[in-house]
């Protein structure tokens, strides 16, 4: 049952990405700010993942 929180996080993440994709589809003017925000989120996730893997062992 350890994998369940991870699976829930993945499902919620997919829902958020889908909602953002729909928002850009409905309002094309949001494309550039959304791209910058998603790139920033990707960098943040990469940093947290790296730190977690380094400090875990």
């Amino acid at each position: 049952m350890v994998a369940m929180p991870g699976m829930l996080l993945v499902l919620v993440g997919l829902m958020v990405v889908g909602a953002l994709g729909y928002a850009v589809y409905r309002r094309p003017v949001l494309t550039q700010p959304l791209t910058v925000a998603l790139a920033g989120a990707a960098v943040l996730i990469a940093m947290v993942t790296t730190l977690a893997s380094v400090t875990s062992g």
Side-chain angles (χ1 to χ4, degrees), residues 23-32:
V24 169
Y25 173 74
R26 295 294 291 167
R27 304 272 184 207
V29 73
L30 296 175
T31 302
Q32 187 177 8

Side-chain angles (χ1 to χ4, degrees), residues 8-54:
L8 180 63
L9 186 61
V10 168
L11 291 175
V12 170
L14 286 174
M15 287 177 57
V16 168
V17 169
L20 291 174
Y22 182 72
V24 169
Y25 173 74
R26 295 294 291 167
R27 304 272 184 207
V29 73
L30 296 175
T31 302
Q32 187 177 8
L34 185 63
T35 303
V36 172
L38 287 177
V43 169
L44 180 64
I45 290 169
M47 290 171 47
V48 168
T49 304
T50 303
L51 287 174
S53 66
V54 168

